[in-house]
Amino acid sequence: MPVIEISDLSDPRLVDYAHLTDVALKKARGTEHGLYIAESALVLERALRAGHRPRSVLTLGNTAPEAGALVGEDVPVFVGPGALLAELTGYVLHRGVIASMHRPELPDPESLLAGARRIVILENVSDPTNVGAIFRSAGAIGADAILVTPRCSDPFYRRAIRVSMGTVLQVPWTRVGDWPSTRALLTRHGFHLAALALTTDAVSLRDFPGHEHERLALLLGAEGEGLTPDALAASDTVVQIPMKHGIDSLNVAAASAVAMWAFSG
């Protein structure tokens, strides 16, 4: 399909980019599971490598050939000047390329955990920036999968994907239900659940023998609120990172990187 020069912002083929929220994209008509936005050629390439299908691509003039080469001839590539594209989307395309991607069907938790040794569970982490940063650490340090609870921010939100540098599209993840069913899932697959929290009975990360557990799940909670009582009750061990200078905790994304590195051995 040839590159399409944008001349009319009301073109219905551009609706995916027209100031739509993440929630609206998730509920997009004519799709099976909704859409998400991939920003930059790097993220688009990672999405394609993960098997995700593009619906269209929006580019600045000088990036159209690269985008077209990535998606092939069957995907429309729209091109226009920066000011016009900013008017359409509501933000400046600093990286020159954004793509409307079909959301894939989320995997079944049972199949996701079948071959996993180290996983991360996010309970109610509502900030997509933190979600993206945690995924980036998981991809770099080596978590096999991530489980997110119903109230956790969607990893396919634009900001989460951007902050993660596309690793949201590489690290396998899915949603889980309530704690009784999630605890049963972890038990069936032989996972020891280590919760990162500030409690009186917490074990120092330095003293926790993570290497002794063949299968280990790291549980992280929301900024401020922390983990819920149900999450703590479902955990096998509560772990905390030792601190200095009167500081009690790190940002959840930073804490996740420290703990994942400690558990990676």
Side-chain angles (χ1 to χ4, degrees):
M1 183 174 293
V3 171
I4 303 166
E5 192 81 30
I6 296 174
S7 58
D8 181 4
L9 294 185
S10 64
D11 186 330
R13 295 174 298 178
L14 299 174
V15 68
D16 297 351
Y17 307 103
H19 295 265
L20 291 187
T21 64
D22 288 309
V23 174
L25 287 165
K26 188 175 181 180
K27 298 177 180 179
R29 293 181 180 180
T31 65
E32 188 174 2
H33 304 292
L35 302 168
Y36 71 85
I37 295 296
E39 296 181 83
S40 81
L42 171 65
V43 174
L44 174 57
E45 186 177 2
R46 287 179 172 173
L48 295 170
R49 197 181 305 142
H52 298 187
R53 292 186 301 113
R55 183 149 93 162
S56 66
V57 182
L58 184 67
T59 73
L60 296 174
N62 59 343
T63 58
E66 180 183 8
L70 286 173
V71 300
E73 297 180 354
D74 296 330
V75 178
V77 176
F78 297 97
V79 61
L84 189 65
L85 300 191
E87 182 181 346
L88 172 66
T89 62
Y91 51 88
V92 177
L93 272 66
H94 292 292
R95 299 175 184 178
V97 176
I98 61 173
S100 173
M101 307 293 298
H102 289 276
R103 283 174 174 253
E105 182 179 8
L106 293 180
D108 174 66
E110 297 282 358
S111 62
L112 197 63
L113 298 190
R117 291 186 60 254
R118 294 290 183 268
I119 69 169
V120 175
I121 303 176
L122 305 184
E123 187 199 39
N124 306 344
V125 179
S126 59
D127 186 341
T129 298
N130 284 331
V131 171
I134 292 168
F135 266 84
R136 187 171 181 180
S137 294
I141 298 171
D144 300 311
I146 294 180
L147 305 178
V148 299
T149 64
R151 289 175 53 202
C152 185
S153 180
D154 194 327
F156 281 141
Y157 280 0
R158 186 169 66 91
R159 188 185 302 173
I161 295 174
R162 184 174 67 245
V163 171
S164 79
M165 294 295 290
T167 51
V168 162
L169 313 173
Q170 296 176 297
V171 179
W173 69 273
T174 196
R175 287 201 181 269
V176 289
D178 59 18
W179 272 109
S181 63
T182 301
R183 178 64 260 189
L185 171 72
L186 297 172
T187 300
R188 283 195 298 275
H189 289 273
F191 277 92
H192 183 97
L193 181 57
L196 203 61
L198 301 175
T199 63
T200 56
D201 61 342
V203 177
S204 170
L205 186 62
R206 291 195 182 100
D207 300 325
F208 178 67
H211 62 281
E212 294 182 3
H213 299 284
E214 182 179 354
R215 291 187 160 186
L216 186 61
L218 170 64
L219 174 58
L220 302 162
E223 287 281 336
E225 297 178 4
L227 294 169
T228 63
D230 288 344
L232 291 171
S235 302
D236 298 300
T237 307
V238 179
V239 181
Q240 65 179 2
I241 299 171
M243 297 285 166
K244 296 182 178 180
H245 306 297
I247 299 170
D248 63 354
S249 64
L250 298 172
N251 165 274
V252 65
S256 73
V258 173
M260 274 187 265
W261 184 87
F263 290 172
S264 63

